[in-house]
Amino acid sequence: MTPSPPVASQSGAATKAGAASKTGASKAGAAPTAAASHPSGDKRFKLLEVAMKRHQFRQDALIEVLHTAQELFGYLEPDLLYFIGRNLKLPPSRVYGVATFYQFFTLKPKGRHTCVVCTGTACYVKGADALLAAVRDAAHVGPGETTEDGELSLVTARCLGACGIAPAVVVDGAVLGHQTPEDLLRQMEGWAPRGPSGTA
Ligand code: FES
């Protein structure tokens, strides 16, 4: 049986006591009508806002929202967790508790660089598999893996919410659309153990 997520203490430490069946969030809480924007202007926060809006800022959509955040950012940094908590009107300790409870969430960057390739339907149709193959061949890294030298983590996403610019990727925080394998490898030049052309 899958254990229930914790209700985190104020210190952020996870406890299993009093675990709720989902995120422990109340469906009855008043949902905000507008997202609290992030001052950085980072486009990924905008995409995350759209995802939260799609869930009507419901607190019980926390896990889905964390998934989307990790797909967009590669990992869940504290500022990101705070941003989510603010928009879903959840205390940071609750968001942190859920993020640390599930193994599929990661709070630290794995590689020095992160490349997220969207493999959602729109991106897949437009050639996401060719993008993944190009990165795999150039950097010898598969989805969910980090190169041995710690330079590059390759992550896949189900949908970044940017289907209009498919195939979409996020390279070190920059959302890039209409990517070809050549475009993507150009972005990654110098990161991988071997360069995009296999010559490094
Ligand atoms: S399917 Fe890739 S951004 Fe939506």
Side-chain angles (χ1 to χ4, degrees):
M1 188 200 294
T2 306
S4 299
V7 176
S9 70
Q10 285 304 319
S11 65
T15 68
K16 292 188 181 177
S21 61
K22 288 186 178 176
T23 64
S26 161
K27 286 184 186 179
T33 51
S37 296
H38 195 273
S40 68
D42 186 327
K43 201 173 167 189
R44 291 173 297 172
F45 284 102
K46 202 79 211 159
L47 293 172
L48 187 56
E49 283 176 23
V50 171
M52 288 190 285
K53 192 170 184 184
R54 202 164 49 235
H55 291 292
Q56 298 169 321
F57 299 98
R58 287 199 332 269
Q59 295 175 335
D60 64 358
L62 175 60
I63 290 177
E64 274 300 310
V65 171
L66 287 171
H67 266 300
T68 303
Q70 183 159 296
E71 288 176 343
L72 284 167
F73 291 80
Y75 68 101
L76 302 172
E77 59 180 351
D79 182 45
L80 184 52
L81 296 178
Y82 180 77
F83 177 76
I84 291 169
R86 224 171 105 222
N87 275 285
L88 299 187
K89 295 201 183 306
L90 285 168
S93 57
R94 174 73 59 80
V95 181
Y96 181 88
V98 171
T100 52
F101 182 79
Y102 292 104
Q103 282 187 349
F104 43 72
F105 293 131
T106 175
L107 274 65
K108 286 194 166 62
K110 288 180 179 161
R112 283 211 303 136
H113 300 282
T114 306
C115 175
V116 183
V117 177
C118 180
T119 55
T121 306
C123 291
Y124 189 80
V125 167
K126 294 279 182 88
D129 55 340
L131 299 178
L132 277 176
V135 178
R136 185 195 58 220
D137 292 348
H140 309 293
V141 67
E145 295 175 357
T146 298
T147 53
E148 279 181 18
D149 63 358
E151 274 297 286
L152 171 66
S153 290
L154 177 62
V155 182
T156 55
R158 293 162 301 169
C159 178
L160 297 171
C163 309
I165 56 170
V169 300
V170 181
V171 177
D172 278 351
V175 181
L176 307 172
H178 306 300
Q179 289 290 288
T180 64
E182 293 73 28
D183 293 334
L184 183 54
L185 294 181
R186 214 172 295 124
Q187 294 289 330
M188 293 170 38
E189 206 136 26
W191 298 355
R194 298 170 63 205
S197 61
T199 56

